[in-house]
Amino acid sequence: MPSSIGHSAVLIGEEILVAFRYIPSVVLFLVAAASAAVYLILMVRWMPTRSFKIKAATTPAVMAVMSVLTYLGGGYRVNDVLILCTLVLLTIPLGFLGHQQEVAAWALREENGEGETNDFPQSALVQTAIAGFAAIVVFVWIRQSV
């Protein structure tokens, strides 16, 4: 019985991956734009100072430039770049989720010159690293299928 459950899970995973082959680039672009909007809404709201809000607000634009350069550099298809952009833009808010107050307190210390180089909240750092690792796994899984 357990082997049939595992086999069913593999089949479902393969069906999901096959579906990615047929998603138009326009749809993935809209998903990437939506992830940028989510990033902006959350990160700008969570940042306590004007300078950190500006940094957060410019990140999607920097990500867009990096995405174009990644595509032009070769090796990645448009859909790959759009999926990667989406995952990266969602990783940071997912990493900070639940740790907004700690991150905001750190940002205030940094802004006032009171912070040390290694006093970023470890719980947010670990959660961001886990979200980043999960994003890499998802990206590799999707990329190998299409």
Side-chain angles (χ1 to χ4, degrees):
M1 179 107 175
S3 63
S4 65
I5 293 172
H7 182 69
S8 296
V10 168
L11 290 176
I12 290 170
E14 288 176 4
E15 289 175 13
I16 292 169
L17 291 176
V18 168
F20 273 99
R21 292 185 187 148
Y22 304 106
I23 296 176
S25 297
V26 172
V27 171
L28 291 175
F29 178 80
L30 292 173
V31 170
S35 71
V38 167
Y39 177 92
L40 284 170
I41 290 167
L42 294 177
M43 294 302 292
V44 171
R45 180 182 302 162
W46 292 344
M47 292 297 111
T49 66
R50 186 175 191 274
S51 65
F52 275 93
K53 286 181 186 294
I54 290 170
K55 290 175 188 176
T58 58
T59 300
V62 171
M63 195 62 208
V65 170
M66 296 287 293
S67 297
V68 169
L69 293 175
T70 300
Y71 173 71
L72 293 176
Y76 291 98
R77 297 171 295 222
V78 172
N79 286 8
D80 292 340
V81 173
L82 290 170
I83 291 168
L84 187 58
C85 180
T86 299
L87 292 171
V88 169
L89 285 172
L90 293 178
T91 295
I92 297 170
L94 284 173
F96 288 8
L97 193 64
H99 305 283
Q100 301 95 307
Q101 291 177 341
E102 298 167 50
V103 172
W106 168 83
L108 283 172
R109 287 193 306 273
E110 284 292 310
E111 186 83 11
N112 296 329
E114 301 167 0
E116 295 181 20
T117 55
N118 61 351
D119 72 342
F120 188 82
Q122 295 298 307
S123 56
L125 187 62
V126 169
Q127 190 168 315
T128 303
I130 291 169
F133 179 74
I136 291 168
V137 168
V138 168
F139 176 71
V140 170
W141 181 57
I142 290 170
R143 188 156 193 256
Q144 288 188 355
S145 73
V146 292

